[in-house]
């Protein structure tokens, strides 16, 4: 298709000048030579992996160990949010493996692995400190004299209730060996 001013449209294929028949195979006398396509270089077959932490070629598939960085980041976030000690340890392990895969050229998201590794350590330390503080608090609470006095009073009240119920039912506490042992223990606690 030509334009009105005699030029050729940019969308039309270029016109080949008519050449005389030079004995091209498949060309009839008086016809132009068949279109000869120049071969394009073939792209390498199979997956293309980046080496040395360099990004892969255009159109290359995802690197085989990129999921380690993603898992490390997710587990690290969960560990910082307090979802458990196991998520922190798993974030540390997957983050370390992600960083190693980046150094080997099998992954390109080592930053995610590093973030997950750091958050995994932070979450693990926070959870460990939280449990330690909880156990120390319980230890102080159990060993405090006020707590022990409250327990003794509660045991005395329970014993008195059981003794009163036994007397109402006509049971002599001196005949029950378990009750006598409980009385002896209570006297020992009161004396000292």
């Amino acid at each position: 298709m030509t334009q009105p001013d005699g030029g050729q449209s940019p969308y039309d294929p270029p016109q080949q000048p008519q050449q005389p028949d030079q004995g091209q195979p498949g060309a009839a006398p008086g016809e132009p030579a068949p279109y000869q396509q120049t071969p394009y270089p073939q792209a390498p077959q199979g997956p293309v992996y980046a080496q040395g932490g360099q990004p892969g070629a255009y159109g290359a598939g995802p690197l085989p160990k990129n999921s380690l960085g993603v898992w490390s980041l997710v587990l690290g976030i969960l560990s910082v949010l307090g979802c458990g000690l196991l998520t922190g340890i798993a974030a540390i392990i997957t983050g370390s493996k992600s960083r190693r895969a980046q150094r080997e050229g099998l992954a390109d998201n080592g930053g995610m692995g590093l973030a997950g590794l750091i958050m995994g350590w932070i979450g693990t330390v926070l959870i460990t400190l939280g449990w330690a503080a909880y156990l120390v608090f319980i230890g102080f609470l159990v060993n405090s004299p006020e707590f022990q006095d409250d327990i003794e009073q509660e045991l005395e009240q329970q014993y008195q209730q059981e003794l009163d119920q036994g007397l109402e039912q006509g049971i002599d506490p001196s005949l029950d060996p378990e009750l006598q042992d409980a009385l002896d223990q209570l006297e020992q606690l009161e004396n000292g």
Side-chain angles (χ1 to χ4, degrees):
M1 171 184 284
T2 59
Q3 294 184 350
D5 62 355
Q8 188 172 11
S9 168
Y11 302 108
D12 290 341
Q15 296 289 333
Q16 298 288 331
Q18 294 274 344
Q19 294 181 355
D21 184 22
Q22 298 175 356
Q24 297 276 346
E31 290 184 15
Y35 182 73
Q36 296 290 326
Q37 185 177 18
T38 55
Y40 292 103
Q42 295 291 326
Q45 299 297 324
V48 177
Y49 299 117
Q51 298 296 321
Q54 297 297 321
Y58 176 75
L63 296 174
K65 293 196 175 183
N66 270 347
S67 61
L68 287 173
V70 174
W71 275 110
S72 175
L73 185 62
V74 169
L75 291 169
I77 290 170
L78 289 175
S79 72
V80 169
L81 293 177
C83 287
L85 188 63
L86 295 178
T87 57
I89 293 171
I92 293 168
I93 292 170
T94 55
S96 298
K97 287 186 177 189
S98 172
R99 300 285 290 168
R100 187 176 313 123
Q102 182 197 18
R103 285 190 298 269
E104 292 172 358
L106 299 175
D108 63 355
N109 61 350
M112 287 178 125
L114 179 62
L117 180 70
I118 292 170
M119 283 192 284
W121 276 111
I122 290 171
T124 301
V125 168
L126 288 177
I127 289 170
T128 304
L129 289 176
W131 275 104
Y134 175 74
L135 293 176
V136 166
F137 174 73
I138 295 297
F140 281 126
L141 181 66
V142 169
N143 291 327
S144 71
E146 296 87 15
F147 180 76
Q148 290 178 355
D149 290 341
D150 290 342
I151 294 294
E152 286 178 15
Q153 289 175 359
E154 189 173 321
L155 287 175
E156 285 177 14
Q157 288 174 356
Q158 286 179 353
Y159 171 72
Q160 190 64 39
Q161 287 175 354
E162 290 176 5
L163 183 62
D164 291 342
Q165 287 175 355
L167 290 175
E168 287 175 5
Q169 296 175 357
I171 301 173
D172 185 10
S174 63
L175 299 177
D176 188 13
E178 291 180 14
L179 189 55
Q180 189 63 41
D181 289 340
L183 284 172
D184 293 339
Q185 289 178 358
L186 186 60
E187 287 176 347
Q188 287 176 357
L189 286 175
E190 289 176 357
N191 295 332

Coordinates of all heavy atoms in Angstrom, one line a residue, residues 16-25 27-34:
Q16 N 11.3 -5.4 -2.2 CA 12.6 -6.0 -2.7 C 12.7 -5.6 -4.2 O 11.7 -5.8 -5.0 CB 12.7 -7.5 -2.6 CG 12.6 -7.9 -1.1 CD 13.9 -7.6 -0.4 OE1 15.0 -7.6 -1.0 NE2 13.8 -7.4 0.9
P17 N 13.8 -5.1 -4.6 CA 13.9 -4.9 -6.1 C 13.9 -6.2 -6.9 O 14.4 -7.2 -6.4 CB 15.3 -4.1 -6.2 CG 16.0 -4.5 -5.0 CD 15.0 -4.8 -3.9
Q18 N 13.3 -6.1 -8.0 CA 13.3 -7.3 -8.9 C 14.7 -7.6 -9.4 O 15.4 -6.8 -9.9 CB 12.3 -7.0 -10.1 CG 10.9 -6.8 -9.7 CD 10.2 -8.2 -9.6 OE1 10.6 -9.2 -10.1 NE2 9.0 -8.1 -9.0
Q19 N 15.1 -8.9 -9.2 CA 16.4 -9.3 -9.6 C 16.2 -10.4 -10.7 O 15.2 -11.1 -10.6 CB 17.2 -9.8 -8.5 CG 17.5 -8.8 -7.4 CD 18.4 -9.3 -6.3 OE1 18.6 -10.5 -6.3 NE2 18.8 -8.5 -5.4
P20 N 17.0 -10.5 -11.6 CA 16.9 -11.5 -12.6 C 17.2 -12.9 -11.9 O 17.8 -13.0 -10.9 CB 18.0 -11.2 -13.6 CG 19.0 -10.3 -12.9 CD 18.2 -9.6 -11.9
D21 N 16.6 -13.9 -12.5 CA 16.7 -15.2 -11.9 C 18.1 -15.7 -12.0 O 18.8 -15.6 -13.0 CB 15.8 -16.2 -12.8 CG 15.8 -17.6 -12.2 OD1 16.1 -17.7 -11.0 OD2 15.5 -18.5 -13.0
Q22 N 18.6 -16.0 -10.8 CA 20.0 -16.5 -10.7 C 20.1 -17.9 -10.4 O 21.1 -18.4 -9.8 CB 20.7 -15.7 -9.6 CG 20.8 -14.2 -9.9 CD 21.4 -13.4 -8.8 OE1 21.7 -14.0 -7.8 NE2 21.5 -12.1 -9.0
G23 N 19.1 -18.7 -10.8 CA 19.2 -20.1 -10.6 C 18.8 -20.5 -9.1 O 19.3 -21.5 -8.6
Q24 N 18.1 -19.7 -8.4 CA 17.7 -20.0 -7.1 C 16.7 -21.2 -7.1 O 15.8 -21.3 -8.0 CB 16.9 -18.8 -6.4 CG 17.8 -17.6 -6.3 CD 18.6 -17.6 -5.0 OE1 18.4 -18.5 -4.2 NE2 19.6 -16.8 -4.9
P25 N 16.9 -22.1 -6.2 CA 16.0 -23.2 -6.2 C 14.6 -22.8 -5.8 O 14.4 -21.9 -4.9 CB 16.5 -24.2 -5.2 CG 17.5 -23.4 -4.4 CD 17.9 -22.2 -5.2
A27 N 12.6 -21.0 -7.6 CA 12.1 -19.8 -8.3 C 11.9 -20.2 -9.7 O 12.7 -20.7 -10.4 CB 13.2 -18.8 -8.2
A28 N 10.7 -19.8 -10.2 CA 10.4 -20.0 -11.6 C 11.0 -18.9 -12.4 O 11.2 -17.8 -11.9 CB 8.9 -20.0 -11.8
P29 N 11.3 -19.1 -13.7 CA 11.8 -18.0 -14.5 C 10.9 -16.8 -14.5 O 9.7 -17.0 -14.7 CB 12.0 -18.6 -15.9 CG 11.8 -20.1 -15.7 CD 11.1 -20.3 -14.4
G30 N 11.4 -15.7 -14.2 CA 10.6 -14.4 -14.3 C 10.0 -14.1 -13.0 O 9.3 -13.1 -12.8
E31 N 10.1 -14.9 -11.9 CA 9.6 -14.6 -10.6 C 10.7 -14.3 -9.7 O 11.8 -14.7 -9.9 CB 8.9 -15.9 -10.1 CG 7.6 -16.2 -10.8 CD 6.9 -17.4 -10.1 OE1 7.2 -17.8 -9.0 OE2 6.0 -18.0 -10.8
P32 N 10.4 -13.5 -8.7 CA 11.4 -13.1 -7.7 C 11.8 -14.3 -6.9 O 11.1 -15.3 -6.7 CB 10.8 -12.0 -6.8 CG 9.3 -12.2 -7.0 CD 9.1 -12.8 -8.3
A33 N 13.0 -14.3 -6.3 CA 13.5 -15.4 -5.5 C 12.7 -15.4 -4.2 O 12.2 -14.4 -3.7 CB 15.0 -15.1 -5.2
P34 N 12.5 -16.7 -3.8 CA 11.7 -16.8 -2.5 C 12.4 -16.1 -1.4 O 13.6 -15.9 -1.4 CB 11.6 -18.3 -2.3 CG 12.7 -18.9 -3.1 CD 13.0 -18.0 -4.2

